[in-house]
Amino acid sequence: MRRFLIDTDTASDDAVALVMALRHPDVIVEALTIVCGNVGLDQAVQNALYTVELCGSDVTVHPGARQPLMRTLETAQNVHGEDGMGDCGLELSGRSHAGGRGADVIVDTILGAPGEITLVALGPLTNIAVAYLRAPEIAEAVERVVVMGGTGVHGPGNVSPMAEFNFWADPEAAAIVVESGMPLELVGWDISIENAVVTQERHDTIRALDTPLSAFALSIAQVVRRFALGIGLAGDDLPDPIAMAHAIDPSAAETTRLHVGVMVGDGPQRGVMEVDRFGFSGKEPNLDIVTRYSSDNFFGLLMDSLG
Ligand code: RIB
Ligand code: CA
């Protein structure tokens, strides 16, 4: 059994990734920590609680950062909908979280089980950065840190021409985390748009499952699907779910090890990854970056979770 700790800014694709982990027979989800990002913290907490209840899980949900480290929050509600879950009329309020503080839960969970926890980061890295600053020893104690973030080795941005949302929303946190020494495995937006696009054929296959979870997955994606089609993709892409697939089954990934930095500031460089493919920075590689993930393997895991 794999022990996952998941940090999320719960919106539509995060919710599908949560379903994949909560429903996988070989995964124990220790806790969910919530970070502001796609939507504000309180909405992300409610979205996570709704998804956990839908999966019949008793995993605890803990609120984390309400703002990025050094900035005011700029959400992605234009992409996912006002409630982050496709504005499809779900009752996303009134549930109670487990309290605590996300960064403390991350530290306590990792230090409480050295070498056993896979931390999966699906949103801006604010909680992870705060946890590391409070207890740098988590870098040695955590088994794996799978991050959905950045544009990958060759990808475009999705919030600016060169920046991906999770790194752009809190670039200072991302810059701290990539230099933390944690065993990072980065799954960028390039992998999502290349290997995790819900084409019309795949959309119809998911709909044909005709289960509560397949209907949920399609409904909450209705706003992001319009956004994705509008920018020329063949359907909505699923960045957090394919990052979760990599966490569950890394054997289907091709990776390369290199040094990555993250640019800060407020200009076009905000949140942009410096990918040192040829070692010109003179810095030691600091992470593994996924360069390809089997689309068939991903959609197989997805369909199993929604069935
Ligand atoms: O850029 C994609 C990432 O930003 C995903 O995690 C999505 O949920 C948003 O948080
Ligand atoms: Ca996310």
Side-chain angles (χ1 to χ4, degrees):
M1 296 295 279
R2 263 76 59 77
R3 301 175 68 180
F4 283 14
L5 170 60
I6 303 172
D7 191 72
T8 171
D9 61 336
T10 325
S12 59
D13 65 312
D14 302 72
V16 173
L18 295 180
V19 169
M20 291 173 68
L22 291 168
R23 303 255 300 159
H24 196 283
D26 298 340
V27 171
I28 297 172
V29 181
E30 299 287 335
L32 301 185
T33 55
I34 310 303
V35 64
C36 64
N38 283 316
V39 292
L41 178 68
D42 296 332
Q43 186 67 64
V45 166
Q46 291 300 321
N47 295 348
L49 288 166
Y50 182 94
T51 304
V52 165
E53 184 178 297
L54 187 68
C55 291
S57 168
D58 60 1
V59 69
T60 54
V61 176
H62 306 271
R66 189 170 293 277
Q67 291 292 339
L69 289 184
M70 298 170 64
R71 301 167 177 270
T72 53
L73 174 64
E74 296 175 77
T75 70
Q77 288 165 282
N78 62 312
V79 173
H80 294 277
E82 279 305 300
D83 65 11
M85 300 281 270
D87 296 335
C88 61
L90 298 177
E91 189 51 51
L92 300 168
S93 62
R95 291 173 177 82
S96 302
H97 58 67
R101 286 186 299 188
D104 294 339
V105 172
I106 292 169
V107 171
D108 295 343
T109 303
I110 292 172
L111 297 186
E116 295 190 28
I117 302 296
T118 293
L119 173 60
V120 186
L122 303 177
L125 295 172
T126 316
N127 289 339
I128 318 299
V130 171
Y132 170 72
L133 293 172
R134 282 187 193 164
E137 61 270 29
I138 64 170
E140 293 303 315
V142 68
E143 185 194 16
R144 296 173 64 200
V145 181
V146 177
V147 175
M148 192 283 130
T151 46
V153 173
H154 52 262
N158 60 9
V159 68
S160 74
M162 292 173 63
E164 176 277 327
F165 177 78
N166 286 339
F167 279 19
W168 177 89
D170 195 343
E172 288 79 13
I176 288 168
V177 171
V178 296
E179 298 296 4
S180 66
M182 292 185 203
L184 298 170
E185 300 168 48
L186 222 48
V187 183
W189 195 57
D190 55 338
I191 301 304
S192 183
I193 57 177
E194 288 165 11
N195 306 124
V197 173
V198 185
T199 60
Q200 191 56 51
E201 181 183 359
R202 288 177 177 142
H203 191 273
D204 296 343
T205 305
I206 294 170
R207 185 173 299 286
L209 284 174
D210 195 23
T211 63
L213 285 173
S214 64
F216 169 72
L218 295 180
S219 297
I220 62 177
Q222 62 184 8
V223 173
V224 66
R225 186 169 184 82
R226 284 198 296 271
F227 173 85
L229 290 166
I231 63 171
L233 297 182
D236 53 301
D237 64 295
L238 294 170
D240 291 342
I242 199 165
M244 186 61 73
H246 176 68
I248 292 168
D249 180 10
S251 71
E254 292 171 16
T255 64
T256 186
R257 185 160 185 79
L258 41 70
H259 185 274
V260 163
V262 178
M263 298 186 199
V264 295
D266 289 318
Q269 80 279 11
R270 173 179 169 178
V272 171
M273 282 172 51
E274 295 171 288
V275 180
D276 187 5
R277 290 188 58 182
F278 303 112
F280 292 146
S281 72
K283 296 176 182 174
E284 283 301 307
N286 55 354
L287 52 79
D288 293 322
I289 196 164
V290 175
T291 54
R292 186 183 178 281
Y293 193 89
S294 159
S295 201
D296 289 344
N297 198 74
F298 164 59
F299 279 99
L301 285 169
L302 175 65
M303 297 295 281
D304 289 346
S305 74
L306 301 178

